[in-house]
Structures are given as C-alpha cells and as structure tokens.
Amino acid sequence: MPAGQEAGQASGTAKDSATVAVFASDASWIESDALVQCHQVAALDGMVHVAAMPDLHPGKGAPIGAAMASTVLYPFLVGSDIGCGIAVFPLRLGRVVPDRLAARFPDLDRPLDPGNETDAPAFDAVGDDIPAGHLEGLGTVGRGNHFVELARVDTVEEPGHAGRLGLAAGDVVLLVHSGSRGLGERILREHTAAHGAGPAPDPAAYLAAHDAAVRWGALNRRLLAARVAHALGAELAEPIVDQCHNLVEVRDGTYLHRKGAAPGDGRDVLVAGTRGTRSYLVAAHAGARANYSVAHGAGRKMSRADALRRGRAKHTVDELRRTPVGSLVVCGDRQLLFEEAPTAYKRVEQVIGDLVAHDLATPVATTLPLVTYKTPDRAAPHRRDRRAGMTGRSSRGRPTGWRPA
DNA sequence: ATGTAC
C-alpha cells in the first residue's frame, strides 16, 4: 500500500480498530510486515491511535518506530529496553585525530563499580544515586544498535537555534545511544511471565518500575559520557539533548507508548543516522496525529540476519571499520559489524525529508561521525593503522579515498 | 536488545 500521510486512515482500518497514520512519503519504502504490525496493534483492546514514523520497521511482536496511544497499558509495546534514548554532550577536545581518539576509548563493556577507585571520576561527575539500586551493567553501552560516537557538527541549518544550544559548525559532540540494559529487560520479563502480551493489571505498579528504568537509562548515558570524557581528557558538560524513545507516558487520559519514537512535542531530538553517515539534530513540533512523536533514527531496511548474509558478500571487515566519511568504527564483534553496517539502514536524509514534509520537525544541525564505538576492539587495529604510508592513508589522517559525503 | 542456554 502507499505510505502517504493519509494512507493509514484511508486504508484497511477495521470498524472497531484504532486509526493508523503513516508519516512517510510514497517514495519511502516501508516493510509491509511493519505495516501489518501497526494494524495488529491498532486492533488491540483500548487502542486509540497509532502513528508510524518514517523509520518504521518490524520488531518482535510490535513495530519499531511507532507511537501508540491506548486506554490500556501494554508493556510489550515498549519492549525490554525501557528508557533507551539518545543524548548529545558537548565536548571540548584538543587535536582531533580519529585514530588516536579511537585507541583511547575505555572498555564500555566493563560495568562500573562504585567501590572501585578507578571508577570514581565517572560517579564524581554524575552522582551515585542509582535508580532501583540496580548496579548490574551500570555504565555499559550494550549491543544491538547502541553506540557511543564522537562526532563533529557539520552543517548548521538553524543558526539561531543551534546558537542557543551552544553549537557551531566544527564543534565536537559525543552522541550516546543506550538504555536500561538488564533492568528494563527484567521488568518486561516479569510482566510477560505472568501476563504475556496482555495489559498491565496494575498500571501504577508497572509505571513505578518503568520510571526507574527510564531514570536509569538517562543516568547510564551520563555515566557513559563521563567515562569517555575522562578517558579522552575532556571536560563533561550537561547534555544539550537527551530524549528517550522507548517509554510509556500518560497523556490526554491515554497511555502513549513510544517504541523507537522520540517525544516530538516542542523538544530537540537527535535523529541518529548510521556510523557512516550524518545524524540530524532537529527541533520537533509534532502534533496529535503523530502522537506528539518523531523518528528516532534512520531505521533498519533489512533484518540482522539479512545484513549479516548480504554484508559478508558485499563488504570486507576493513571497509566497515573505516567509513566513507573517514570515521572509525571500534567494534571487536565481527557479526555486529555486519549487522550494523550503514547499508543495513535507510538513508537518514529520506527519513528527515519525511519529517519535514509532514511538518513534524525542522533540522537544526547535522553531525558527521569521527569515531563510533560499539564494543572493544581486541584486534588492536590502531597500531597497524599508525603506519600511515602503508595503509593507503594520506598524511592528513584521512583515507585517500576520503570525500565529503 | 537482552541474559542465558546451547
């Protein structure tokens, strides 16, 4: 079916089903499985309205890239990574040499320990009030699409707005995409064990646990930023953007479930591209038809299994570790390297174009990756890369094939 | 996306 703005309401909504609005142009390909999932969600008891974002793709049982308003609270619509979000931290650095910075990244798979002296700087910067007292996995980035990225502000589309955020072209920022790790997973698992995909019988009890996971996710992003800033010798500032795209919010007498959809009601949101492409900082102004939400990223265009199979035929590991924009990817996990390849995602410009076309957001600035960190690189590639002349790199610290995207 | 089982 066409995925134009009116398509959802014009097509396929059964009589007692909620409305579905898809905020994507006809030119934006959306996997039909994801649209089927939207209509399955629309048929749930109590569902009022489903807004699908242009980065919509199929998830486990529920679509990713959707905001779903219902009089009934369904924990499975938010999923296990309650509190997942993206934060942007300004960072002041001296000389920016991606290879050297990549080599200095700390091991963000190792949990922080409040009793360990080496971890004191992170807690000193952020505090040690840990929601739910949950220490497991604290300060770790996780897997999947999570990342920590050093990026440079590239274009500035709205100088006044960017200026108010303290951003100018050339500035270095740290993007942190992570969530509540095992805590949110445990909350969903406990609900599912008793009630499956059914509603929360005690919404207040679920919301209390959920709210702690949301706070934990925000704290975790700050701890991750503090670890990186400390390792790179940079001072940590408060995030200029930090929006959570997996959560449920009580609004207009309904439970507004966001799954891979960021709050778009007058807030600034970082819409993540891929590690090989730009990301967009946007000023969001989405209304009721969009369930007050905007896209959270480029959106997968193929499954992890497909990305792995096709990526192995198409890319070498070295290609994936040094991107066409000259940035580095720190990822010691080969499978993850293929699963998260830029080619597994839609073009973020198309997603942003759809948000603009539907008047959901206005681009403020774009960022280009310098170093995207996923998981420690045990192969220690940086040593090899220092031999500039032997690896096809120019003396300027960029691959010879570098082009400005 | 996750911890855990295979």
Side-chain angles (χ1 to χ4, degrees):
Chain A
M1 63 173 258
Q5 183 177 11
E6 307 305 325
Q9 286 192 327
S11 76
T13 31
K15 201 175 179 192
D16 295 313
S17 194
T19 48
V20 178
V22 182
F23 291 87
S25 70
D26 292 352
S28 298
W29 177 79
I30 289 187
E31 225 173 304
S32 61
D33 288 357
L35 294 170
V36 168
Q37 286 183 333
C38 284
H39 286 278
Q40 288 168 343
V41 168
L44 291 171
D45 283 346
M47 193 58 57
V48 176
H49 182 57
V50 176
M53 298 296 125
D55 58 339
L56 187 79
H57 56 281
K60 237 182 171 177
I64 300 168
M68 301 154 278
S70 164
T71 58
V72 174
L73 199 169
Y74 293 99
F76 87 98
L77 292 181
V78 172
S80 63
D81 198 5
I82 304 160
C84 187
I86 302 179
V88 181
F89 299 83
L91 216 60
R92 263 184 222 293
L93 281 176
R95 238 156 59 89
V96 175
V97 182
D99 291 78
R100 299 208 175 187
L101 292 168
R104 287 175 66 181
F105 263 68
D107 176 357
L108 300 177
D109 283 353
R110 183 186 69 78
L112 291 171
D113 177 357
N116 187 336
E117 244 178 67
T118 59
D119 294 335
F123 292 108
D124 288 348
V126 172
D128 56 3
D129 180 18
I130 316 297
H134 184 83
L135 288 174
E136 205 183 306
L138 190 64
T140 62
V141 65
R143 290 291 167 108
N145 59 358
H146 291 177
F147 64 83
V148 173
E149 179 173 292
L150 269 182
R152 197 188 280 290
V153 176
D154 186 32
T155 60
V156 173
E157 318 288 336
E158 294 284 338
H161 195 130
R164 287 194 293 282
L165 293 172
L167 282 187
D171 286 355
V172 174
V173 291
L174 189 66
L175 315 183
V176 179
H177 180 186
S178 189
S180 60
R181 310 288 287 108
L183 177 58
E185 197 273 338
R186 191 182 74 200
I187 293 166
L188 181 66
R189 181 159 33 83
E190 285 174 1
H191 171 85
T192 305
H195 311 288
D202 182 351
Y206 170 81
L207 284 174
H210 158 284
D211 291 352
V214 170
R215 291 196 302 275
W216 201 98
L219 173 73
N220 202 41
R221 290 187 285 280
R222 282 164 174 75
L223 287 170
L224 285 161
R227 295 182 89 168
V228 172
H230 185 251
L232 301 184
E235 201 177 316
L236 182 70
E238 282 296 301
I240 56 172
V241 169
D242 186 11
Q243 294 304 337
C244 169
H245 48 241
N246 294 347
L247 84 169
V248 54
E249 170 186 322
V250 179
R251 179 163 195 149
D252 299 339
T254 68
Y255 297 108
L256 177 51
H257 310 73
R258 288 199 179 87
K259 174 64 173 173
D265 49 347
R267 286 184 260 190
D268 296 332
V269 173
L270 192 285
V271 183
T274 73
R275 66 211 184 183
T277 56
R278 287 183 178 79
S279 291
Y280 282 72
L281 200 165
V282 303
H285 36 76
R289 262 195 100 240
N291 275 340
Y292 311 99
S293 301
V294 292
H296 78 313
R300 296 197 74 83
K301 91 182 166 200
M302 58 181 92
S303 69
R304 291 183 176 278
D306 283 350
L308 191 58
R309 191 158 32 78
R310 296 168 64 165
R312 275 180 168 150
K314 198 160 45 181
H315 306 294
T316 65
V317 166
D318 281 350
E319 253 170 62
L320 294 176
R321 289 214 289 221
R322 194 177 292 281
T323 79
V325 298
S327 66
L328 296 180
V329 178
V330 179
C331 183
D333 179 336
R334 285 174 61 100
Q335 182 173 325
L336 190 59
L337 203 52
F338 286 109
E339 286 177 357
E340 291 291 317
T343 44
Y345 283 84
K346 301 175 192 180
R347 282 185 66 239
V348 69
E349 285 78 11
Q350 184 84 39
V351 170
I352 297 296
D354 285 347
L355 293 180
V356 171
H358 291 105
D359 202 24
L360 303 188
T362 304
V364 172
T366 65
T367 64
L368 262 180
L370 294 164
V371 178
T372 306
Y373 174 101
K374 300 288 288 181
T375 188
D377 210 340
R378 290 177 200 180
H382 316 300
R383 209 172 306 154
R384 184 192 64 200
D385 289 350
R386 281 197 196 111
R387 292 182 295 171
M390 303 183 65
T391 53
R393 294 172 50 70
S394 75
S395 59
R396 304 281 293 269
R398 284 172 175 154
T400 45
W402 186 86
R403 56 190 156 74

